[in-house]
Amino acid sequence: MNSQYDKRFLISGLIMLVLGLLAPIYSPYALAKIGILQAHLIGALQALVFFSFAWMWPQLSLPRFTKSIATVSLYISLWANWIGTLFVSIFGAGKEQYIVNQDLVPGAKGFWNIATLLLINLSQLAVLAVVLAIIGFLGWVWTAKKERIMNFISLLLLLAILIISLFQTFNPQYSNG
């Protein structure tokens, strides 16, 4: 049986799965042990997302530039989410609670707090990747005929989500609730 798949997504999924499985090793040193559990579970779950995208990617009918935007969005969102969760566990978010409404991480100071918030906020890019994948699967004729419009809309959505993520990072009171 010869099936097509995207090797890069498959490898990313395997790496994320291994890192997710190894995350609990750090638990004796983590300030927020629940964060390590979250990093463990997110690593395993997001590996499945990578595996799903590895299978579906060759099947999508999207313009090349739009597909590149979706690819970059998926990589950034999934890796930023996992790394941000790991940072939360390392720097602490309370003994028994994980980040609620993406407030500032109590144990983190300055740069690390901003870095953690930015990483978690960038996970919003997954929505763009999934929406573009849905459009690519639907195979609408207009997406092929109107390639420049599709590329422009995709780029505009990418920039909008990046701006929203940066805004929420520096204004956490507007984040997630």
Side-chain angles (χ1 to χ4, degrees), residues 26 30-36 39 84-92 98:
Y26 186 78
L31 294 177
K33 306 231 185 297
I34 192 90
I36 284 289
T85 305
L86 189 67
F87 280 4
V88 166
S89 67
I90 291 170
F91 299 117
Y98 190 58

Side-chain angles (χ1 to χ4, degrees), residues 41-83:
L41 295 173
I42 286 172
L45 181 65
Q46 288 185 166
L48 295 175
V49 173
F50 270 129
F51 297 152
S52 298
F53 273 78
W55 165 79
M56 77 172 79
W57 222 239
Q59 319 303 322
L60 299 181
S61 59
L62 287 172
R64 174 175 271 159
F65 184 70
T66 297
K67 205 170 187 181
S68 297
I69 288 174
T71 301
V72 168
S73 295
L74 189 70
Y75 277 120
I76 290 172
S77 66
L78 296 183
W79 282 107
N81 189 38
W82 186 80
I83 293 168

Side-chain angles (χ1 to χ4, degrees), residues 55-157:
W55 165 79
M56 77 172 79
W57 222 239
Q59 319 303 322
L60 299 181
S61 59
L62 287 172
R64 174 175 271 159
F65 184 70
T66 297
K67 205 170 187 181
S68 297
I69 288 174
T71 301
V72 168
S73 295
L74 189 70
Y75 277 120
I76 290 172
S77 66
L78 296 183
W79 282 107
N81 189 38
W82 186 80
I83 293 168
T85 305
L86 189 67
F87 280 4
V88 166
S89 67
I90 291 170
F91 299 117
K95 298 282 184 196
E96 297 175 12
Q97 282 200 347
Y98 190 58
I99 285 184
V100 177
N101 293 333
Q102 295 180 1
D103 292 331
L104 298 177
V105 182
K109 302 281 186 233
F111 170 78
W112 291 110
N113 215 339
I114 291 171
T116 302
L117 282 172
L118 179 62
L119 288 168
I120 290 173
N121 286 329
L122 284 174
S123 66
Q124 298 174 100
L125 287 169
V127 174
L128 178 60
V130 172
V131 167
L132 292 176
I134 290 169
I135 291 169
F137 261 125
L138 290 174
W140 290 330
V141 176
W142 71 268
T143 59
K145 289 183 178 178
K146 308 282 186 188
E147 186 173 316
R148 287 172 37 180
I149 293 173
M150 186 69 192
N151 289 339
F152 177 75
I153 291 171
S154 300
L155 181 61
L156 200 61
L157 289 172

